[in-house]
């Protein structure tokens, strides 16, 4: 394997990033594009996905496509991947980023919201990974990167079901490694800490909560979405060819201290 930076080059690779029309997912899709990959931006709305794809393509100069399908529905996942495969083949890189948060005290948490969180945060990653696995196995290569959270390891009040789904991502990642590693496919996860995005802006603006984040994090700040791009490119590239089944916490040191 080359020892220079060419091991991080994603030219001639294709990547699908679920939930990438905004927030962390959008930045990850742009990062993969800047590294040379042909990227598929995914969302729930086809118009939004196509618009973001055009914006990323204009910024990076690389081909970017948009698609939309329900990641919680197996038939929709199959139809979406069938379209993508007809255009680009089985993705070389799958980033299972789609996810959501719902907050309630445990005793008031509706079962319907539990089911929504499990479907969106965990079942979707299973369905996408299952669907691309056959093509990756046939090709003898592939990179699956799941997006976990510090809540994959740490719990807080009012988000017990969310923590359960992100804990599930850890074991899904390890299970994918166990099954797919013999075929040249790696499965790893990135577990972000607290990141400032448009989706967390209310928390960023909350002086008390932001003070807690800064005090709890050794780096003493919120994460910037740019902090996630390097770890993703590493796990998506040849640089990580012998890294499998691992959870990379990108959290400013939060999970390293008490």
């Amino acid at each position: 394997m080359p020892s220079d930076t060419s091991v991080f080059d994603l030219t001639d690779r294709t990547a699908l990033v679920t939930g990438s029309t905004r927030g962390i997912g959008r930045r990850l899709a742009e990062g993969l594009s800047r590294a040379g990959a042909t990227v598929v931006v995914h969302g729930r709305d086809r118009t939004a996905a196509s618009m973001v794809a055009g914006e990323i393509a204009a910024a990076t100069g690389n081909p970017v496509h948009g698609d939309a399908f329900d990641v919680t529905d197996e038939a929709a996942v199959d139809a979406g991947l069938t379209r993508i495969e007809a255009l680009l083949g089985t993705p070389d890189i799958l980033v299972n980023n789609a996810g959501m948060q719902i907050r309630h005290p445990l005793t008031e948490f509706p079962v319907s919201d539990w089911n929504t969180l499990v479907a969106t945060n965990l079942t979707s990653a299973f369905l996408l990974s299952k669907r691309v696995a056959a093509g990756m196995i046939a090709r003898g290569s592939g990179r699956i990167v799941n997006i976990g959270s510090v809540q994959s390891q740490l719990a807080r009040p009012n988000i017990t079901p969310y923590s359960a789904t992100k804990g599930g991502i850890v074991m899904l990642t390890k299970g994918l490694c166990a099954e797919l590693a013999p075929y040249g496919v790696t499965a790893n996860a990135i577990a972000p800490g607290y990141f400032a995005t448009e989706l967390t802006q209310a928390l960023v603006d909350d002086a008390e909560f932001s003070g807690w984040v800064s005090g709890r994090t050794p780096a003493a700040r919120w994460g910037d979405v740019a902090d996630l791009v390097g770890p993703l490119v590493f796990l998506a590239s040849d640089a990580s060819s012998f890294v499998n089944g691992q959870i990379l916490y990108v959290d400013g040191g939060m999970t390293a201290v008490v």
Side-chain angles (χ1 to χ4, degrees):
M1 178 184 294
S3 60
D4 59 23
T5 57
S6 67
V7 295
F8 297 97
D9 184 11
L10 299 180
T11 302
D12 299 326
R13 309 285 176 89
T14 58
L16 167 62
V17 184
T18 65
S20 52
T21 58
R22 59 179 180 165
I24 287 173
R26 175 173 176 149
R27 188 65 182 87
L28 295 179
E30 182 179 339
L32 291 175
S33 180
R34 290 189 184 279
T38 296
V39 174
V40 179
V41 170
H42 162 271
R44 289 176 291 183
D45 180 84
R46 186 174 299 277
T47 300
S50 297
M51 181 182 69
V52 172
E55 291 170 353
I56 294 176
T60 67
N62 287 319
V64 185
H65 305 272
D67 208 324
F69 54 86
D70 183 352
V71 293
T72 71
D73 181 270
E74 185 172 14
V77 168
D78 180 63
L81 265 294
T82 297
R83 289 192 299 272
I84 292 167
E85 287 174 338
L87 181 66
L88 302 170
T90 298
D92 297 289
I93 303 155
L94 168 65
V95 183
N96 285 312
N97 170 75
M100 67 183 304
Q101 174 67 284
I102 302 175
R103 294 179 173 85
H104 299 293
L106 176 64
T107 56
E108 301 170 18
F109 219 106
V111 172
S112 59
D113 284 351
W114 162 274
N115 291 335
T116 297
L117 281 168
V118 171
T120 305
N121 296 354
L122 185 56
T123 302
S124 66
F126 165 72
L127 292 176
L128 269 294
S129 300
K130 175 186 174 184
R131 180 58 178 76
V132 302
M136 288 182 171
I137 289 170
R139 187 177 55 221
S141 67
R143 299 283 186 268
I144 298 174
V145 182
N146 297 320
I147 304 301
S149 167
V150 289
Q151 269 75 51
S152 295
Q153 180 173 328
L154 304 174
R156 279 182 57 80
N158 300 326
I159 59 168
T160 296
Y162 178 84
S163 299
T165 64
K166 292 304 184 178
I169 284 291
V170 168
M171 291 313 300
L172 175 64
T173 300
K174 293 177 183 291
L176 293 172
C177 166
E179 295 212 37
L180 301 178
Y183 304 100
V185 179
T186 68
N188 295 286
I190 294 173
Y194 285 85
F195 276 73
T197 71
E198 64 264 39
L199 302 180
T200 60
Q201 192 59 50
L203 294 175
V204 175
D205 293 339
D206 184 321
E208 182 179 359
F209 192 84
S210 279
W212 175 83
V213 169
S214 296
R216 180 66 179 80
T217 306
R221 66 174 176 86
W222 286 77
D224 185 287
V225 288
D227 296 325
L228 295 168
V229 173
L232 176 60
V233 171
F234 167 66
L235 291 176
S237 71
D238 289 342
S240 63
S241 61
F242 204 54
V243 178
N244 214 336
Q246 302 305 303
I247 315 303
L248 177 56
Y249 285 89
V250 185
D251 62 0
M254 178 176 279
T255 53
V257 301
V258 294

